[in-house]
Amino acid sequence: IRLSLVGSEMCIREAIGLAAFSGAASAQALKFGFVNTDRIFREASPALAAQAKLEQEFSKREADLNGQGATLKAASEKFEREAPTLSDTQRAQRQRQLAEQDRDLQRRSREFQEDLNTRRNEELQQVLERANRVIKQVAEAESYDLILQDAVYVNPKNDITDKVLKALNGK
């Protein structure tokens, strides 16, 4: 029985038990492999291209937010220096203005972070789908019975991450 487990939530012990049982039944040696998805996301050309795309897409908004934060900080410092000389009415008005600017900055920062996270997840999903196709190709070409992603411990001889990276970067 051929078993391919790529990114599945199946319990590893159950998968290994099933693979061992099927291997014993067919009297074949099982061939296991492992792929480190963290390395794929850090080192694969598609992942690096996705990161560069996100940086380009969001850099202007980030710069705008940083500028707004610097402006608010300067205004707060100016208020702190001038507060003793202001009337109670002026002081209250400036505090309200600063609080409103701070709320606006916090709202815009949250929106930015949500948009960035959404886009990052979209891009990483595309990279993961492409990586999974390559992993499946490597598994089929080299007759692997089981490929795991993310495990607590893996013997380095079973790690096929370099092969997957080479295939991803070569395309």
Side-chain angles (χ1 to χ4, degrees), residues 94-105:
R94 296 263 303 268
Q95 283 176 326
R96 279 192 305 276
Q97 288 172 341
L98 289 171
E100 185 177 317
Q101 289 174 348
D102 185 53
R103 279 191 305 273
D104 182 53
L105 177 62

Side-chain angles (χ1 to χ4, degrees), residues 28-69:
Q28 293 178 1
L30 295 176
K31 189 171 181 182
F32 294 91
F34 166 76
V35 176
N36 184 332
T37 52
D38 288 339
R39 277 192 60 207
I40 299 294
F41 287 140
R42 283 192 323 264
E43 299 174 24
S45 295
L48 298 175
Q51 182 62 33
K53 181 178 177 181
L54 288 172
E55 287 174 11
Q56 181 182 9
E57 187 176 326
F58 285 91
S59 62
K60 185 181 182 318
R61 277 180 66 187
E62 184 177 29
D64 290 345
L65 284 172
N66 289 338
Q68 187 178 1

